[in-house]
Amino acid sequence: MANIKERYLVDDNGNRIGVVLNMKDYHRLLEQLEELESIRAYDAAKASGDEVVPFEQAVAEIER
């Protein structure tokens, strides 16, 4: 992963209780998370063995 400059929030005992990121790093992490979720959804769909339906056909069936 890219260099992320995180800062930690700590409680009175010095235990880390939160993280502060700059907005650029935060948005980059969100984009990577979305990409990972898409990959996992693709893998799950492929492993399910369900019938493959072309996108256009699926839309036509939904619109009926």
Side-chain angles (χ1 to χ4, degrees):
M1 189 174 307
N3 284 343
I4 295 179
K5 303 292 184 192
E6 69 271 4
R7 292 173 287 164
Y8 299 99
L9 300 175
V10 295
D11 63 15
D12 293 335
N13 297 320
N15 299 313
R16 292 177 178 176
I17 59 171
V19 178
V20 178
L21 301 170
N22 69 43
M23 292 303 292
K24 182 179 176 182
D25 290 338
Y26 173 71
H27 287 290
R28 189 169 57 237
L29 284 174
L30 287 179
E31 288 173 6
Q32 291 175 355
L33 179 60
E34 288 178 11
E35 184 175 341
L36 179 59
E37 289 172 345
S38 296
I39 292 168
R40 286 182 174 165
Y42 172 82
D43 289 344
K46 190 165 181 151
S48 72
D50 290 343
E51 176 188 354
V52 177
V53 177
F55 178 76
E56 293 80 13
Q57 179 183 342
V59 170
E61 290 177 11
I62 291 170
E63 291 177 345
R64 279 189 232 152

